[in-house]
Amino acid sequence: MAYTLEQYTALQAAIAEGALTVRYQDKSVQYRDLDEMMRILKLMATELGLNSNNDGGRRYASFSKGY
Protein backbone atom coordinates (compact mmCIF):
# COMPACT_ATOMS: atom_id res chain seq x y z
CA MET A 1 0.00 0.00 0.00
CA ALA A 2 1.27 3.49 -0.78
CA TYR A 3 1.13 5.70 2.28
CA THR A 4 1.27 9.48 2.23
CA LEU A 5 3.04 11.91 4.54
CA GLU A 6 -0.39 13.27 5.46
CA GLN A 7 -1.45 9.81 6.69
CA TYR A 8 1.80 9.48 8.63
CA THR A 9 1.42 12.82 10.42
CA ALA A 10 -2.27 12.14 11.14
CA LEU A 11 -1.34 8.83 12.77
CA GLN A 12 1.43 10.50 14.79
CA ALA A 13 -1.05 13.13 16.02
CA ALA A 14 -3.61 10.49 17.02
CA ILE A 15 -0.97 8.55 18.95
CA ALA A 16 0.08 11.74 20.75
CA GLU A 17 -3.55 12.45 21.67
CA GLY A 18 -4.21 8.90 22.84
CA ALA A 19 -6.92 8.44 20.21
CA LEU A 20 -7.57 5.16 18.41
CA THR A 21 -9.33 6.83 15.50
CA VAL A 22 -7.36 8.67 12.84
CA ARG A 23 -9.02 11.17 10.51
CA TYR A 24 -7.49 12.71 7.42
CA GLN A 25 -9.23 14.30 4.47
CA ASP A 26 -12.64 12.60 4.29
CA LYS A 27 -11.41 9.25 5.66
CA SER A 28 -11.40 7.68 9.09
CA VAL A 29 -9.48 4.63 10.37
CA GLN A 30 -10.19 2.89 13.69
CA TYR A 31 -7.25 0.98 15.24
CA ARG A 32 -7.53 -1.77 17.85
CA ASP A 33 -4.78 -0.55 20.15
CA LEU A 34 -1.60 1.48 20.47
CA ASP A 35 0.60 -1.46 19.47
CA GLU A 36 -1.19 -1.73 16.13
CA MET A 37 -0.81 2.02 15.59
CA MET A 38 2.91 1.88 16.34
CA ARG A 39 3.42 -1.04 13.93
CA ILE A 40 1.63 0.82 11.15
CA LEU A 41 3.55 4.03 11.92
CA LYS A 42 6.85 2.15 11.58
CA LEU A 43 5.65 0.56 8.32
CA MET A 44 4.67 3.99 6.99
CA ALA A 45 8.03 5.49 8.01
CA THR A 46 9.90 2.72 6.23
CA GLU A 47 7.81 3.05 3.08
CA LEU A 48 8.13 6.84 3.07
CA GLY A 49 11.89 6.66 3.66
CA LEU A 50 11.66 8.42 7.02
CA ASN A 51 13.65 7.68 10.12
CA SER A 52 11.87 4.54 11.33
CA ASN A 53 13.34 4.26 14.83
CA ASN A 54 10.02 5.42 16.36
CA ASP A 55 11.28 8.84 17.41
CA GLY A 56 9.03 10.56 14.90
CA GLY A 57 11.96 11.51 12.70
CA ARG A 58 13.60 13.60 15.41
CA ARG A 59 17.28 13.22 16.06
CA TYR A 60 18.80 14.00 19.39
CA ALA A 61 22.31 15.24 19.83
CA SER A 62 24.37 13.71 22.55
CA PHE A 63 26.83 15.88 24.34
CA SER A 64 29.91 14.89 26.23
CA LYS A 65 31.34 16.95 29.08
CA GLY A 66 34.80 16.21 27.72
CA TYR A 67 36.28 14.94 30.97
Side-chain angles (χ1 to χ4, degrees):
M1 175 173 197
Y3 294 106
T4 67
L5 190 54
E6 181 182 12
Q7 290 171 313
Y8 180 81
T9 56
L11 181 54
Q12 276 187 316
I15 290 170
E17 293 172 5
L20 292 177
T21 301
V22 178
R23 291 181 176 80
Y24 60 94
Q25 294 179 350
D26 61 344
K27 297 172 179 63
S28 177
V29 178
Q30 177 74 35
Y31 292 93
R32 289 181 284 256
D33 54 31
L34 179 60
D35 288 337
E36 180 182 29
M37 295 172 86
M38 295 302 292
R39 283 193 313 270
I40 298 297
L41 187 69
K42 186 174 182 177
L43 177 67
M44 287 178 171
T46 299
E47 186 172 304
L48 292 169
L50 304 173
N51 184 357
S52 61
N53 64 2
N54 289 332
D55 70 0
R58 296 178 301 271
R59 294 182 183 243
Y60 299 95
S62 64
F63 296 95
S64 170
K65 291 184 179 185
Y67 295 110

